[in-house]
Amino acid sequence: MVAIGSLSRRQIEQGLPWTWTPSRLKKFIRLASTNAYVAHVNGEFAGFSIASLGDARAHLVLLAVEKKWRHQGVGRELLDWQLRAAQTAGLADISLEVRAGNLSAQSFYASAGFEQVRSLKRYYCGVEDAIRLRLSPIRAAVPNPEHKSPTS
Ligand SMILES: CC(C)(COP(=O)(O)OP(=O)(O)OC[C@H]1O[C@@H](n2cnc3c(N)ncnc32)[C@H](O)[C@@H]1OP(=O)(O)O)[C@@H](O)C(=O)NCCC(=O)NCCS
């Protein structure tokens, strides 16, 4: 939980108040509606994803990869695991919010087929706008054959 909280703090909530503390994460992950995955590469924590699966739709809450393991397909795998779970549950779509200034994450999600739905003014603690993205219908992203699936 500490590794997830720390990565979230450093790479998702940097410059904002820390909301996803280890204790909040622990409570959230225990909810029956929460789906969480952790990726390891060579036995090392590499990243995680957390989604909330509702009765009709899914919401991707957090996803991050340690800098050391980026650009190798780890993020895509973490996302795909969530997409497959939501698809298997028969959900209509999956949405998420991303910081308006986080262009690399927006490219990451666009490469998986997500489309911009709307902009949310000062969504993050009144400080930064968010972009809401949605994938509908839910479909797994096509993996890059150059990535050798380093995760376990
Ligand atoms: C966004 C993030 C999860 C991507 O993880 P990753 O493991 O590097 O991503 P992948 O290697 O699986 O990349 C998959 C595709 O996404 C796109 N992509 C990934 N990083 C990108 C970047 N920095 N710029 C542009 N496109 C990018 C590419 O199309 C890539 O496909 P390719 O390798 O065939 O070119 C990672 O950069 C990260 O953890 N960022 C900080 C946290 C964050 O912003 N989380 C999302 C908001 S909650």
Side-chain angles (χ1 to χ4, degrees):
M1 209 60 66
V2 172
I4 294 175
S6 163
L7 180 54
S8 177
R9 175 86 186 116
R10 283 181 281 119
Q11 301 298 335
I12 297 175
E13 296 193 291
Q14 73 275 23
L16 297 173
W18 193 12
T19 64
W20 286 102
T21 58
S23 64
R24 182 181 175 205
L25 281 164
K26 199 170 171 183
K27 282 186 203 139
F28 193 79
I29 285 172
R30 281 186 177 153
L31 296 175
S33 55
T34 299
N35 202 34
Y37 295 107
V38 173
H40 289 89
V41 179
N42 300 336
E44 215 177 287
F45 172 76
F48 74 98
S49 64
I50 297 176
S52 196
L53 306 188
D55 290 338
R57 349 189 88 87
H59 190 82
L60 188 64
V61 180
L62 295 167
L63 187 156
V65 175
E66 290 283 5
K67 281 190 175 164
K68 179 178 176 182
W69 300 114
R70 288 191 191 162
H71 306 291
Q72 298 175 51
V74 176
R76 177 68 58 86
E77 283 206 57
L78 283 162
L79 177 61
D80 270 0
W81 294 338
Q82 293 291 358
L83 297 179
R84 285 175 202 282
Q87 209 174 22
T88 303
L91 304 184
D93 60 47
I94 182 164
S95 62
L96 62 95
E97 286 80 40
V98 61
R99 291 171 76 163
N102 190 350
L103 301 182
S104 58
Q106 289 168 39
S107 297
F108 167 76
Y109 290 118
S111 77
F114 280 78
E115 291 177 349
Q116 186 169 332
V117 180
R118 59 183 288 211
S119 167
L120 303 159
K121 292 286 166 208
R122 291 183 287 282
Y123 179 85
Y124 294 104
C125 305
V127 175
E128 185 170 346
D129 296 350
I131 310 286
R132 179 164 292 152
L133 304 175
R134 182 170 296 149
L135 181 67
S136 179
I138 296 172
R139 54 202 181 275
V142 179
N144 181 339
E146 287 173 22
H147 295 151
K148 291 183 192 144
S149 185
T151 58
S152 62

